[in-house]
Amino acid sequence: MSQTLQAIRGMNDILPADAERWEAFEELVRDWLTAYGYRPIRMPLVEPTPLFARAIGAVTDIVEKEMYSFTDSLNGEQLTLRPEGTASCVRAVLQHNLLYDGPKRLWYMGPMFRHERPQKGRYRQFHQFGIEALGLPGPDIDAEQIIMCARLWDDLGLNADGSIKLEINSLGQPEERAQHRSALITYLESHADQLDEEARRRLHTNPLRILDTKNPAMQALVEGAPKLMDYLGELSLKHFAGVQQLLKDAVIPYRINPRLVRGLDYYNLTVFEWVTEHLGAQGTVCAGGRYDGLVEQLGGKPAPACGFAMGIERLMALLEAQGDVPDEFAPDVYVVHQGHGNDGAQRLAFRAAELLRNNGFSVLTHMGGGSFKSQFKRADASGAQLAVIIGDDEAIANAVTLKPLRAAAEQQRVALDELADRVGDWLYGADEDNSEE
Ligand code: ATP
Ligand code: MG
């Protein structure tokens, strides 16, 4: 036998029990997004490579080393599996001129691809859902997006202990960052002997990112570095104060983290992350902020924008850690059937099953034959509440036998046209008034 093929490292199958948890999660997320007036958008998984270089920045981790890029062998185009959603979303907004009649609130959900070292909470195909609000200058919308996150933690029951913590910062405007940047380079150059290899490499390309280093040997150096906050002008400070006021009003605790810089170039003013200690090193569950320059950078008429993305794997891990196990899937009804001589029992089984589905019940019809005994074993194992039994007698009488599988009750013969009502009685109680008045 040849060796079985495996999925690509860092790309995971999501098996049925987990996929059901994901779907329940996605449903909740959709309701929550609707409550804030966000509408869905779906973008392609593959985009022209220059989109990401232009949007995310050529010297970021993502573009430098994490993208799955390839040449389309049919026409030579440079293509990339999307590493994040914001660039594609803004591209789509511009391509379809969605801002022509005012601001837009959009959300997306789906797989993203980054060639990183796979580990817990870090995969090569992972999933995000994200929101983008375009055309709104803030700081109200910035604050609302953060408040949204807090509501999601509540809806998911995830943050009763306050373990998902909010960190915010302001990156100011490009001119302010440029001034800070030259001060930072001067400072770092004067301490060149303390820089590690990566920092030395980034000194002139992306010095802000050095402040984000995880190297313990460089912590003291980083602590003493010029702070961007000291370079912010009046308007930037006012914007930041505006966000904070609304967070205080909403009673959302936060910490200002002056070293929160984000690994994507397009951010300005507000940036934020929600971080938990419960996931080890991969603790950021949500990250976002303002990116007022991106629309213009991608060729559009300037428009302010603000958004965030959440890592779904990390949220699912948190839900699982708190013991959220979904109900095992069980159909309402399992149809057992066996005939002799002709296929009347099987044909009635199919009719009965479709009739039940017409009435909204979930039904597993036994497939592949076998004795009644073996079929009942399957029925039991399926978790179904009821079995519908069809043999030769039933086939002749155009009726079925209804047998409760989880209660000590008699089985009963039921005419086909009463079947759905009887099943409903069994599952929901005969006396319950299901009418809408
Ligand atoms: P990190 O610092 O963890 O690498 P990032 O800054 O690269 O995160 P973003 O690009 O802002 O992350 O993506 C937003 C969110 O997507 C992250 O906060 C995280 O929850 C999730 N995420 C990012 N990369 C991965 C990955 N490789 N596997 C799983 N989730 C990821
Ligand atoms: Mg990353």
Side-chain angles (χ1 to χ4, degrees), residues 247-269:
L247 293 180
K248 284 184 185 131
D249 290 349
V251 202
I252 295 177
Y254 62 87
R255 183 173 82 90
I256 296 175
N257 176 359
R259 282 162 57 187
L260 184 62
V261 295
R262 309 286 306 114
L264 302 86
D265 277 358
Y266 49 59
Y267 287 107
N268 69 315
L269 293 173

Side-chain angles (χ1 to χ4, degrees), residues 114 116 121-123 126 128 262 264 284-287 309 311 314:
R114 296 185 194 177
E116 307 197 67
R122 191 175 294 287
Y123 309 101
F126 63 102
Q128 286 183 337
R262 309 286 306 114
L264 302 86
T284 307
V285 290
C286 172
R314 295 184 194 179

Side-chain angles (χ1 to χ4, degrees), residues 62 66 83-84 114 116 121-128 209 214 262-264 267 273-274 281-288 309-314:
I62 294 180
E66 295 176 358
E84 55 107 57
R114 296 185 194 177
E116 307 197 67
R122 191 175 294 287
Y123 309 101
R124 289 180 173 172
Q125 174 174 329
F126 63 102
H127 298 75
Q128 286 183 337
R209 201 63 178 143
K214 295 188 171 87
R262 309 286 306 114
L264 302 86
Y267 287 107
E273 289 191 356
W274 289 87
Q282 270 59 252
T284 307
V285 290
C286 172
M310 297 203 186
I312 301 183
E313 280 81 0
R314 295 184 194 179

Side-chain angles (χ1 to χ4, degrees), residues 37-304:
Y38 282 77
R39 296 181 67 197
I41 181 166
R42 300 184 185 209
M43 299 84 67
L45 300 192
V46 184
E47 294 274 4
T49 305
L51 171 65
F52 301 112
R54 249 167 95 181
I56 300 172
V59 291
T60 55
D61 276 354
I62 294 180
V63 173
E64 271 188 338
K65 54 188 187 197
E66 295 176 358
M67 295 206 306
Y68 281 92
S69 297
F70 56 98
T71 307
D72 183 332
S73 60
L74 296 180
N75 63 9
E77 254 185 290
Q78 293 299 313
L79 304 177
T80 294
L81 296 182
R82 64 180 187 194
E84 55 107 57
T86 302
S88 312
C89 184
V90 171
R91 197 254 325 125
V93 162
L94 294 180
Q95 184 172 337
H96 304 284
N97 195 24
L98 293 190
L99 295 180
Y100 79 100
D101 63 347
K104 286 285 170 301
R105 290 172 170 82
L106 303 171
W107 70 268
Y108 57 83
M109 169 146 54
M112 307 293 164
F113 303 86
R114 296 185 194 177
H115 201 281
E116 307 197 67
R117 191 170 71 77
Q119 50 197 296
K120 186 171 179 291
R122 191 175 294 287
Y123 309 101
R124 289 180 173 172
Q125 174 174 329
F126 63 102
H127 298 75
Q128 286 183 337
F129 69 86
I131 71 170
E132 317 292 352
L134 297 118
L136 300 165
D140 42 9
I141 190 75
D142 313 27
E144 190 187 72
Q145 291 191 341
I146 296 173
I147 292 168
M148 275 177 85
C149 297
R151 177 181 295 278
L152 181 64
W153 313 146
D154 278 351
D155 288 355
L156 292 168
L158 267 185
N159 208 18
D161 60 353
S163 58
I164 308 181
K165 297 196 162 65
L166 173 62
E167 301 195 342
I168 62 174
N169 191 19
S170 175
L171 299 183
Q173 299 293 11
E175 323 78 69
E176 295 156 359
R177 274 219 298 285
Q179 284 178 17
H180 169 251
R181 186 188 143 108
S182 35
L184 185 62
I185 292 176
T186 309
Y187 169 84
L188 292 171
E189 273 174 344
S190 69
H191 296 85
D193 52 324
Q194 294 171 49
L195 298 178
D196 63 15
E197 195 185 320
E198 189 173 331
R200 230 168 276 142
R201 189 172 58 81
R202 282 178 155 155
L203 184 53
H204 292 279
T205 54
N206 201 351
L208 207 59
R209 201 63 178 143
I210 298 176
L211 301 181
D212 211 18
T213 179
K214 295 188 171 87
N215 182 355
M218 283 178 45
Q219 293 310 311
L221 179 70
V222 160
E223 287 298 336
K227 305 251 180 309
L228 175 57
M229 201 60 76
D230 297 331
Y231 290 79
L232 297 192
E234 199 185 328
L235 285 178
S236 296
L237 289 171
K238 192 162 164 243
H239 189 109
F240 198 36
V243 173
Q244 292 180 61
Q245 185 58 55
L246 288 166
L247 293 180
K248 284 184 185 131
D249 290 349
V251 202
I252 295 177
Y254 62 87
R255 183 173 82 90
I256 296 175
N257 176 359
R259 282 162 57 187
L260 184 62
V261 295
R262 309 286 306 114
L264 302 86
D265 277 358
Y266 49 59
Y267 287 107
N268 69 315
L269 293 173
T270 319
V271 288
F272 62 92
E273 289 191 356
W274 289 87
V275 186
T276 174
E277 285 169 6
H278 293 333
L279 291 175
Q282 270 59 252
T284 307
V285 290
C286 172
R290 183 157 280 286
Y291 52 92
D292 294 331
L294 185 59
V295 171
E296 188 179 17
Q297 204 173 306
L298 292 183
K301 227 169 67 197

